[in-house]
Amino acid sequence: MPKSVDHAERRAELARAVWRVVRRAGVDGASVRATAREAGWSAGTVQHYFSTQAEMLVFAMEAISTESARRLDAIEADADLDAQAAVLAAVEFLAPLEPDARVAAELWVAFLARVVVDDRIRAVHARDAAALAGECSKLVGTLVRPVDEATVELEAARLHALLDGLTIAAVTEPERMPPERVRQVLRHHVASLVATGGGHDAAPA
């Protein structure tokens, strides 16, 4: 390896290599050696950063979460979108509709079986679940006007559960829940939130 190495960029390259391997071969196929081949590195170089597959997959998940948060902030800051359109754009982004979101969803579903036995994966899952819960509260709060805390809390929990359920169905039953069906369900749900909030500050669906 060169003496001067940007380790943050190297780790980002590895995360992208993991995503590509998962997209092609699934989570079980994302071994250290397979990732090294994908990145064009030696297995030893990859092991310099990650000694186990679990450690590598956790980092890939964390990298996806960081990138997702950045892109979600950009969506929510788009001044050209009205309230309903902004919420719909955000929830569609959170669903497994695009290739990167699909990889993130596959990793998440694969991790669910390990949450009860792996403390590090449990911590990542808990942090991401808390972040999504907060995001759902914020999104619901923009549509339910005037704000009623009890209603927002209940509707945020419902949106969170809907996103989790759609993600699992889209990954495990893609024939029953293809992207177009996921979009249809999400649009219907966002329209119901507008109705719950009385339609204030939101354009018709």
Side-chain angles (χ1 to χ4, degrees), residues 119-160:
D119 290 341
R120 186 170 179 184
I121 290 176
R122 185 183 306 117
V124 172
H125 175 74
R127 183 203 64 200
D128 287 352
L132 180 57
E135 185 63 32
C136 288
S137 292
K138 181 168 65 174
L139 294 173
V140 169
T142 65
L143 295 183
V144 177
R145 302 284 182 174
V147 174
D148 176 80
E149 291 186 6
T151 300
V152 169
E153 182 180 0
L154 183 62
E155 289 294 348
R158 188 162 72 119
L159 176 59
H160 191 166

Coordinates of all heavy atoms in Angstrom, one line a residue, residues 119-160:
D119 N -24.6 -8.0 19.7 CA -24.7 -6.8 20.3 C -24.5 -5.6 19.4 O -25.2 -4.6 19.5 CB -23.8 -6.7 21.6 CG -24.2 -7.6 22.7 OD1 -25.4 -8.0 22.7 OD2 -23.4 -7.9 23.6
R120 N -23.5 -5.7 18.5 CA -23.1 -4.6 17.7 C -24.2 -4.3 16.6 O -24.6 -3.2 16.4 CB -21.8 -4.8 17.0 CG -21.3 -3.6 16.2 CD -19.9 -3.7 15.7 NE -19.5 -2.5 15.0 CZ -18.4 -2.4 14.3 NH1 -17.5 -3.4 14.4 NH2 -18.1 -1.3 13.7
I121 N -24.7 -5.4 16.1 CA -25.8 -5.3 15.1 C -27.1 -4.8 15.8 O -27.8 -3.9 15.2 CB -26.1 -6.6 14.4 CG1 -24.9 -6.9 13.5 CG2 -27.4 -6.6 13.6 CD1 -25.0 -8.3 12.8
R122 N -27.3 -5.2 17.0 CA -28.5 -4.7 17.8 C -28.4 -3.2 18.0 O -29.4 -2.5 17.9 CB -28.6 -5.4 19.1 CG -29.9 -5.1 19.9 CD -29.9 -5.7 21.3 NE -29.7 -7.2 21.1 CZ -28.7 -7.9 21.7 NH1 -27.8 -7.2 22.3 NH2 -28.7 -9.2 21.5
A123 N -27.2 -2.7 18.3 CA -27.0 -1.3 18.5 C -27.2 -0.5 17.2 O -27.8 0.6 17.3 CB -25.6 -1.0 19.0
V124 N -26.7 -1.0 16.1 CA -26.9 -0.3 14.8 C -28.4 -0.3 14.5 O -29.0 0.7 14.1 CB -26.1 -1.0 13.7 CG1 -26.5 -0.4 12.3 CG2 -24.6 -0.9 13.9
H125 N -29.1 -1.4 14.7 CA -30.5 -1.5 14.4 C -31.3 -0.6 15.3 O -32.2 0.2 14.8 CB -31.0 -3.0 14.7 CG -32.5 -3.1 14.5 ND1 -33.1 -3.2 13.3 CD2 -33.5 -3.3 15.4 CE1 -34.4 -3.3 13.4 NE2 -34.6 -3.4 14.7
A126 N -31.0 -0.5 16.6 CA -31.7 0.4 17.5 C -31.5 1.8 17.1 O -32.5 2.6 17.2 CB -31.2 0.1 18.9
R127 N -30.3 2.2 16.8 CA -30.0 3.6 16.4 C -30.8 4.0 15.1 O -31.4 5.0 15.0 CB -28.5 3.8 16.1 CG -28.1 5.2 15.8 CD -26.8 5.2 15.0 NE -27.0 4.5 13.7 CZ -25.9 4.0 13.0 NH1 -24.7 4.1 13.5 NH2 -26.2 3.5 11.9
D128 N -30.8 3.1 14.1 CA -31.5 3.4 12.8 C -33.0 3.4 13.0 O -33.7 4.2 12.4 CB -31.1 2.3 11.8 CG -29.7 2.5 11.3 OD1 -29.0 3.6 11.6 OD2 -29.2 1.7 10.5
A129 N -33.5 2.5 13.9 CA -34.9 2.5 14.2 C -35.4 3.8 14.9 O -36.4 4.4 14.6 CB -35.3 1.3 15.0
A130 N -34.5 4.3 15.8 CA -34.9 5.5 16.5 C -34.8 6.7 15.5 O -35.7 7.6 15.6 CB -33.9 5.7 17.6
A131 N -33.8 6.7 14.6 CA -33.8 7.8 13.6 C -35.0 7.8 12.7 O -35.5 8.8 12.4 CB -32.5 7.6 12.8
L132 N -35.4 6.6 12.3 CA -36.6 6.5 11.4 C -37.8 6.9 12.2 O -38.7 7.6 11.6 CB -36.8 5.0 10.9 CG -38.0 4.8 10.0 CD1 -37.9 5.7 8.8 CD2 -38.0 3.3 9.5
A133 N -37.9 6.5 13.4 CA -39.1 7.0 14.2 C -39.2 8.5 14.3 O -40.2 9.1 14.2 CB -39.0 6.4 15.6
G134 N -38.0 9.1 14.5 CA -38.0 10.6 14.6 C -38.3 11.2 13.2 O -39.1 12.2 13.2
E135 N -37.9 10.6 12.1 CA -38.2 11.1 10.8 C -39.7 11.0 10.5 O -40.3 11.9 10.0 CB -37.4 10.3 9.8 CG -37.6 10.8 8.4 CD -37.0 12.2 8.2 OE1 -36.1 12.6 8.9 OE2 -37.6 13.0 7.4
C136 N -40.3 9.9 10.9 CA -41.7 9.7 10.7 C -42.5 10.7 11.5 O -43.5 11.3 11.0 CB -42.1 8.3 11.2 SG -41.6 7.0 10.0
S137 N -42.1 11.0 12.7 CA -42.8 12.0 13.5 C -42.7 13.4 12.8 O -43.7 14.1 12.8 CB -42.2 12.1 14.9 OG -42.4 10.9 15.7
K138 N -41.5 13.7 12.3 CA -41.3 15.0 11.6 C -42.2 15.1 10.4 O -42.9 16.1 10.1 CB -39.9 15.2 11.3 CG -39.6 16.5 10.6 CD -38.1 16.8 10.5 CE -37.4 15.8 9.6 NZ -35.9 16.1 9.5
L139 N -42.2 14.0 9.6 CA -43.0 14.0 8.3 C -44.5 14.1 8.6 O -45.2 14.9 8.0 CB -42.7 12.7 7.5 CG -41.3 12.6 7.0 CD1 -41.1 11.3 6.4 CD2 -41.0 13.7 5.9
V140 N -45.0 13.3 9.6 CA -46.4 13.4 9.9 C -46.8 14.7 10.5 O -47.8 15.3 10.1 CB -46.7 12.3 11.0 CG1 -48.1 12.5 11.5 CG2 -46.6 10.9 10.3
G141 N -45.9 15.3 11.3 CA -46.2 16.6 11.8 C -46.3 17.7 10.8 O -47.0 18.8 11.1
T142 N -45.7 17.6 9.6 CA -45.9 18.6 8.6 C -47.3 18.5 7.9 O -47.7 19.5 7.3 CB -44.8 18.5 7.5 OG1 -45.0 17.2 6.8 CG2 -43.4 18.5 8.1
L143 N -48.0 17.4 8.1 CA -49.3 17.3 7.4 C -50.4 17.4 8.4 O -51.5 17.7 8.0 CB -49.3 16.0 6.7 CG -48.3 15.8 5.5 CD1 -48.6 14.5 4.8 CD2 -48.5 16.9 4.5
V144 N -50.2 17.0 9.6 CA -51.3 17.0 10.6 C -51.4 18.3 11.2 O -50.6 18.6 12.2 CB -51.2 15.9 11.6 CG1 -52.3 15.9 12.7 CG2 -51.2 14.5 11.0
R145 N -52.2 19.2 10.7 CA -52.3 20.6 11.2 C -53.8 20.9 11.5 O -54.6 20.6 10.6 CB -51.8 21.6 10.1 CG -50.3 21.4 9.8 CD -49.4 21.9 10.8 NE -48.0 21.7 10.4 CZ -47.0 22.1 11.1 NH1 -47.2 22.8 12.3 NH2 -45.7 21.9 10.7
P146 N -54.1 21.6 12.6 CA -53.2 21.9 13.7 C -52.6 20.7 14.4 O -53.2 19.7 14.4 CB -54.1 22.8 14.6 CG -55.4 22.3 14.4 CD -55.5 21.9 12.9
V147 N -51.4 20.9 14.9 CA -50.7 19.7 15.5 C -51.4 19.2 16.7 O -51.7 20.0 17.6 CB -49.3 20.1 15.9 CG1 -48.6 19.0 16.6 CG2 -48.5 20.5 14.6
D148 N -51.7 17.9 16.7 CA -52.3 17.2 17.9 C -51.3 16.2 18.2 O -51.1 15.2 17.4 CB -53.7 16.6 17.5 CG -54.2 15.8 18.7 OD1 -54.8 16.4 19.6 OD2 -54.1 14.6 18.6
E149 N -50.6 16.3 19.4 CA -49.5 15.4 19.7 C -49.9 13.9 19.7 O -49.1 13.1 19.2 CB -48.9 15.8 21.0 CG -48.2 17.2 21.0 CD -47.5 17.5 22.3 OE1 -47.4 16.6 23.2 OE2 -46.9 18.6 22.4
A150 N -51.1 13.6 20.3 CA -51.5 12.2 20.3 C -51.7 11.6 18.9 O -51.3 10.5 18.7 CB -52.8 12.1 21.2
T151 N -52.3 12.4 18.1 CA -52.5 12.0 16.7 C -51.2 11.8 15.9 O -51.0 10.8 15.2 CB -53.5 12.9 15.9 OG1 -54.7 13.0 16.6 CG2 -53.7 12.5 14.5
V152 N -50.3 12.8 16.1 CA -49.0 12.7 15.4 C -48.3 11.5 15.9 O -47.7 10.8 15.1 CB -48.2 14.0 15.7 CG1 -46.8 13.8 15.2 CG2 -48.8 15.2 14.9
E153 N -48.3 11.2 17.2 CA -47.5 10.1 17.7 C -48.1 8.8 17.1 O -47.3 7.9 16.7 CB -47.6 10.1 19.2 CG -46.9 8.9 19.9 CD -47.0 8.9 21.4 OE1 -47.7 9.8 22.0 OE2 -46.4 8.0 22.0
L154 N -49.4 8.7 17.1 CA -50.0 7.5 16.6 C -49.8 7.3 15.1 O -49.4 6.2 14.6 CB -51.5 7.5 16.9 CG -52.3 6.2 16.5 CD1 -51.8 5.0 17.2 CD2 -53.8 6.5 16.7
E155 N -49.9 8.4 14.3 CA -49.7 8.3 12.9 C -48.3 8.1 12.5 O -48.0 7.4 11.6 CB -50.3 9.6 12.2 CG -51.8 9.7 12.2 CD -52.4 8.6 11.3 OE1 -51.8 7.9 10.6 OE2 -53.7 8.5 11.4
A156 N -47.4 8.6 13.3 CA -45.9 8.4 13.1 C -45.6 6.9 13.3 O -44.8 6.3 12.5 CB -45.1 9.2 14.0
A157 N -46.2 6.3 14.4 CA -46.0 4.9 14.6 C -46.5 4.0 13.5 O -45.9 3.0 13.1 CB -46.6 4.5 15.9
R158 N -47.7 4.5 12.9 CA -48.3 3.7 11.8 C -47.4 3.8 10.6 O -47.3 2.9 9.9 CB -49.7 4.3 11.6 CG -50.5 3.5 10.6 CD -52.0 3.8 10.7 NE -52.4 5.1 10.2 CZ -53.2 5.2 9.2 NH1 -53.7 4.2 8.5 NH2 -53.5 6.5 8.8
L159 N -46.9 5.0 10.3 CA -46.0 5.2 9.1 C -44.8 4.4 9.3 O -44.3 3.7 8.3 CB -45.7 6.7 8.9 CG -44.7 7.0 7.8 CD1 -45.3 6.5 6.5 CD2 -44.4 8.5 7.8
H160 N -44.2 4.4 10.5 CA -43.0 3.6 10.7 C -43.3 2.1 10.5 O -42.5 1.4 9.8 CB -42.5 3.8 12.2 CG -41.2 3.3 12.5 ND1 -40.5 3.6 13.6 CD2 -40.4 2.4 11.8 CE1 -39.3 3.0 13.6 NE2 -39.2 2.3 12.6

